[in-house]
Amino acid sequence: MSGSEELMQVEEGEGQEGQEGQEEYEGEGEDPELAQMQKELAKAEQQKAELDKLNKQQGSGSAGSADGKSGGEDSELSAAAAADQAERDSRSIFIGNVDFAASVEEVQALFADCGEINAITIPVDKFTGRAKGFAYLEFADKASVLMAMEKNDALL
């Protein structure tokens, strides 16, 4: 071999050794960090699974989980709760542009001739305590909703 060929081989060898050494160094430097990140990720996923489990138990009611019911029964309870909520929503109306000074009694007086009222909600700002300008009414039956909707544009 000529001197220039030997020099090129040595330079190529040094370049490869330097790269290998650098890869080993990077690999060694990242392994503890990577391992720590993987541990933290596994811990976070475990916590998420536990929170999901607790949320499912709360959604189906704490009594269902105390009775030792299975997951299938919990989903049936959730479906029943959703059906009940949908039925309640079908008996409820939203009333917009309610005077900020209007009281529950005034809203009840306006809609009393529509049917039996189960609940009246006038949301208020949590910081000022002032009404937000709208209300919700829940009637005892669906026919009352139709009668109340005829009062569209009525002044309160």
Side-chain angles (χ1 to χ4, degrees):
M1 257 192 249
S2 69
S4 63
E5 288 177 354
E6 289 178 19
L7 182 61
M8 289 177 67
Q9 286 180 350
V10 169
E11 287 177 356
E12 288 176 6
E14 288 176 359
Q16 290 175 353
E17 289 174 8
Q19 289 176 353
E20 289 174 7
Q22 187 177 11
E23 289 175 6
E24 289 176 16
Y25 175 74
E26 287 177 3
E28 290 173 4
E30 288 182 357
D31 280 346
E33 292 176 17
L34 183 60
Q36 181 65 24
M37 289 176 154
Q38 289 173 338
K39 287 179 186 176
E40 291 175 3
L41 178 62
K43 183 178 178 182
E45 288 174 346
Q46 181 183 9
Q47 289 174 342
K48 182 184 181 297
E50 291 173 3
L51 285 173
D52 288 344
K53 182 179 176 182
L54 288 173
N55 285 337
K56 284 181 183 179
Q57 288 176 350
Q58 279 185 334
S60 64
S62 58
S65 61
D67 293 341
K69 295 186 178 183
S70 67
E73 291 174 350
D74 285 344
S75 64
E76 290 174 7
L77 290 174
S78 296
D84 182 51
Q85 183 64 39
E87 197 272 328
R88 286 181 54 200
D89 288 346
S90 70
R91 294 183 285 118
S92 300
I93 62 169
F94 168 83
I95 306 167
N97 293 328
V98 175
D99 185 8
F100 292 101
S103 67
V104 172
E105 291 79 19
E106 291 173 328
V107 174
Q108 185 174 10
L110 180 64
F111 291 97
D113 60 337
C114 296
E116 182 182 348
I117 299 172
N118 286 347
I120 299 173
T121 305
I122 301 177
V124 295
D125 183 279
K126 65 181 175 182
F127 298 110
T128 64
R130 185 176 180 208
K132 292 186 175 183
F134 60 92
Y136 298 99
L137 257 76
E138 180 187 334
F139 289 100
D141 58 13
K142 293 179 184 179
S144 300
V145 171
L146 297 174
M147 292 174 41
M149 291 181 76
E150 291 176 5
K151 292 190 176 237
N152 193 23
D153 296 328
L155 295 177
L156 181 63

